[in-house]
């Protein structure tokens, strides 16, 4: 049976790399983002079974993503929530609207997607929910101030543990993948600024920022059969950053 994955944020960065890993392992992958077409067409040109689910998760009910994947693929086994945004401002300058925007996309959308997806996973007795946390799940942020982002990422740890317990008996594993510093568009403002890039890089024992694939290979493991006895965990992939 071909397994079906829904990946938010699959059009680029970490979500894209995880989509590629799952496609190469034989999954069908629905890519949810505002503009998924280019990534999907490139996968299809390689004969990889990706399909597009164009959706702005902040403008439309996130459950629509689950409905569209079911309509196109007829099943749903894996949910990955990798779509994200960040607003880098110190707490004293952060408006409540900024706070809500960050919390909503990372945390509220994670809950709403998982709640919509779990009944379909339960029907087959097998499912994987993978949220994307961060080293800020544990650190609260670094030289750049990101209070809403760090709070949302820590909140995902609570959600991961709560859902892992509730859904264990349904065959659903729920985990949190916590990347360290990854070179993507998301962090360009940080890695392009030597004042941030150098102190962060100097703190990484492996001596470099991650590429999306470094994260995606661990994510694909968590979405597969081998991770059957793994649930409720935060798996940190950070080149040793938090061990510093
Ligand atoms: N990069 C890092 O160092 C790092 C470290 C730790 C954790 N993370 C986390 O990893 C995840 C992915 O980050 P990344 O670095 O891969 O970011 P990225 O390259 O900027 O990709 C973000 C993805 O989210 C999608 N997206 C953004 N807003 C959306 C919306 N409103 N509706 C639907 N899709 C939306 C984007 O697609 P469209 O533009 O097509 O909508 C894109 O596919 C995020 O949760 C981030 O917090 C990143």
């Amino acid at each position: 049976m071909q397994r079906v994955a829904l990946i938010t944020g699959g059009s680029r960065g970490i979500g894209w790399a995880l989509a590629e890993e799952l496609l190469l392992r034989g999954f069908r992958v629905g890519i949810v983002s505002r503009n998924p077409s280019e990534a999907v067409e490139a996968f299809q040109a390689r004969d990889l079974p990706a399909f597009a689910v164009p959706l702005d998760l902040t403008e439309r009910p996130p459950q629509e993503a689950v409905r569209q994947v079911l309509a196109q693929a007829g099943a749903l086994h894996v949910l990955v929530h990798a779509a994200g945004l960040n607003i880098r401002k110190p707490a004293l300058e952060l408006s409540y609207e900024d706070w809500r925007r960050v919390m909503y996309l990372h945390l509220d959308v994670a809950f709403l997607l998982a709640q919509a997806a779990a009944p379909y996973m339960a029907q087959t007795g097998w499912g994987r929910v993978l949220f994307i946390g961060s080293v800020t799940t544990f650190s609260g942020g670094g030289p750049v101030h990101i209070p809403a982002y760090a709070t949302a990422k820590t909140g995902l740890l609570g959600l991961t543990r709560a859902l892992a317990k509730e859904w264990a008996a349904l065959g659903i594993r729920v985990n949190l993948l916590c990347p360290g510093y990854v070179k993507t568009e998301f962090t360009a403002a940080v890695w392009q600024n030597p004042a941030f890039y150098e102190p962060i890089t100097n703190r990484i024992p492996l001596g470099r920022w991650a590429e999306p694939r470094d994260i995606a290979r661990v994510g694909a493991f968590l979405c597969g059969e081998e991770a059957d006895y793994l649930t409720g965990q935060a798996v940190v992939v950070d080149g040793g950053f938090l061990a510093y």
Side-chain angles (χ1 to χ4, degrees):
M1 178 198 40
Q2 188 175 37
R3 292 214 156 114
V4 179
L6 180 170
I7 303 189
T8 73
S11 64
R12 60 172 189 270
I14 295 167
W16 179 90
L18 187 44
E20 184 185 48
E21 289 294 327
L22 291 185
L23 287 162
L24 292 170
R25 285 163 167 75
F27 286 76
R28 238 182 122 185
V29 178
I31 294 193
V32 180
S33 87
R34 292 163 299 187
N35 300 298
S37 315
E38 202 179 313
V40 166
E41 282 161 21
F43 282 136
Q44 288 173 347
R46 294 163 61 192
D47 285 331
L48 295 171
F51 58 96
V53 182
L55 188 72
D56 187 332
L57 290 161
T58 59
E59 295 290 329
R60 305 285 312 162
Q63 298 90 332
E64 278 186 21
V66 172
R67 283 196 284 275
Q68 284 196 44
V69 167
L70 288 164
Q72 292 193 59
L76 177 56
H77 305 95
V78 173
L79 166 68
V80 178
H81 179 40
L85 78 116
N86 204 350
I87 298 176
R88 298 179 178 94
K89 286 183 190 169
L92 293 178
E93 293 169 23
L94 193 75
S95 69
Y96 179 62
E97 193 192 4
D98 288 344
W99 169 271
R100 279 301 326 149
R101 279 183 62 207
V102 175
M103 294 294 282
Y104 182 77
L105 182 55
H106 289 278
L107 195 51
D108 298 45
V109 171
F111 171 68
L112 293 169
L113 284 169
Q115 189 187 47
Y120 298 96
M121 297 177 184
Q123 278 174 13
T124 60
W126 193 96
R128 299 281 186 263
V129 174
L130 185 64
F131 299 130
I132 309 298
S134 157
V135 285
T136 65
T137 297
F138 302 97
S139 71
V144 188
H145 300 295
I146 45 169
Y149 181 84
T151 304
K153 293 302 195 189
T154 305
L156 283 171
L157 180 58
L159 183 63
T160 298
R161 289 176 170 161
L163 297 184
K165 289 178 190 170
E166 270 195 49
W167 296 346
L170 304 178
I172 302 171
R173 308 291 176 255
V174 187
N175 289 295
L176 183 66
L177 177 61
C178 296
Y181 289 85
V182 190
K183 273 201 177 164
T184 65
E185 263 180 65
F186 193 75
T187 46
V190 182
W191 53 262
Q192 287 171 354
N193 183 339
F196 298 135
Y197 182 72
E198 280 165 22
I200 291 169
T201 311
N202 290 341
R203 244 200 77 167
I204 302 172
L206 292 187
R208 64 170 178 87
W209 286 43
E211 297 299 328
R213 188 156 182 258
D214 292 315
I215 311 303
R217 285 185 296 192
V218 180
F221 163 76
L222 292 169
C223 293
E225 293 294 337
E226 299 86 349
D228 204 47
Y229 197 63
L230 211 167
T231 200
Q233 299 305 309
V235 177
V236 179
V237 185
D238 67 349
F241 180 85
L242 288 180
Y244 192 78

